[in-house]
Amino acid sequence: MKKLLAVAAITLGMMSQVHAQEIDFGVQAGLNVATFAGDDSDGAEGRTGINVGLTGEYEFNENFGILIGAIYSQQGAEFDRLGGTTDVELDYINVPVLAKFYLGGSGLALEAGPQIGFIVNDEYDTNVPNGNVDIDAETIDLSAGGGLSYKFREGTALEGLSLGARYMFGLTNVYDDNEVSIDDDLTNSVLSINLGYKF
């Protein structure tokens, strides 16, 4: 919880550099379908989880904006190998910084940009024989990606609501390269769908 509050405070501090009255603050909640990618990801199956958090968007004009968030995100994967299963549950506070390109000034936008994640929960559970070892994921995860979103503009019946779908792919390994008890080349891969509301 302390990490969550610290990251939220940093994110809100970054967003406050722009005049507060020009930022649309909001909340979002949705569904994640996460897994691992990389050369060592054979046999990885998806983990379904949630995403929920705070967002702030600054629109420079009707065609371009920047979105920053502090999002709690359930990620990880499940492996079926060596005569047993292994569940990897990794939860992060993700801070995306996404450019938003509105098509024709409408509410439909393309999103793209980087994201930094701070791990807040790291669970590794397996019933593989001799597989119970203490394995720690990296505390920081870097990723990038993009997606589509639709924001109902002012004056519409659903003003303030937004819908989005986003795919983020990891740029850094989930586990330390020197970790000998688990494969090294594993990166996060997350598809998220969310519903948002701007205040």
Side-chain angles (χ1 to χ4, degrees):
M1 182 58 70
K2 290 181 179 179
K3 288 183 180 179
L4 171 61
L5 294 176
V7 173
I10 291 171
T11 303
L12 293 175
M14 291 169 58
M15 292 188 291
S16 69
Q17 298 302 312
V18 183
H19 196 281
Q21 291 182 345
E22 298 175 341
I23 297 178
D24 288 331
F25 290 98
V27 294
Q28 76 165 56
L31 180 72
N32 285 347
V33 179
T35 188
F36 289 143
D39 292 341
D40 298 317
S41 64
D42 290 346
E45 299 180 2
R47 179 195 180 196
T48 302
I50 63 168
N51 66 78
V52 60
L54 306 173
T55 61
E57 182 182 347
Y58 177 73
E59 284 193 36
F60 294 89
N61 53 53
E62 66 177 10
N63 297 311
F64 180 69
I66 294 288
L67 182 139
I68 299 176
I71 312 296
Y72 170 73
S73 178
Q74 293 182 331
Q75 300 172 203
E78 178 181 302
F79 289 92
D80 186 5
R81 59 170 64 167
L82 300 177
T85 59
T86 299
D87 293 317
V88 182
E89 297 183 1
L90 304 175
D91 301 340
Y92 295 89
I93 300 298
N94 288 327
V95 180
V97 181
L98 302 175
K100 299 192 67 169
F101 303 93
Y102 288 95
L103 305 181
S106 69
L108 182 64
L110 298 173
E111 302 178 345
Q115 175 177 273
I116 183 169
F118 302 89
I119 199 160
V120 292
N121 181 55
D122 178 4
E123 296 184 24
Y124 178 87
D125 183 40
T126 183
N127 61 11
V128 175
N130 301 317
N132 287 312
V133 291
D134 186 16
I135 302 173
D136 294 323
E138 295 281 16
T139 56
I140 293 179
D141 181 71
L142 299 179
S143 58
L148 285 171
S149 66
Y150 185 83
K151 176 169 70 174
F152 292 92
R153 295 287 192 176
E154 293 183 13
T156 62
L158 298 177
E159 177 183 340
L161 288 177
S162 63
L163 301 169
R166 187 179 305 151
Y167 174 70
M168 304 300 289
F169 56 91
L171 301 175
T172 55
N173 286 339
V174 173
Y175 294 97
D176 192 315
D177 289 342
N178 295 322
E179 178 62 69
V180 297
S181 53
I182 196 169
D183 295 325
D184 293 343
D185 189 11
L186 292 173
T187 57
N188 281 305
S189 173
V190 185
L191 173 65
S192 63
I193 299 172
N194 58 70
L195 175 67
Y197 183 77
K198 301 291 193 302
F199 299 113

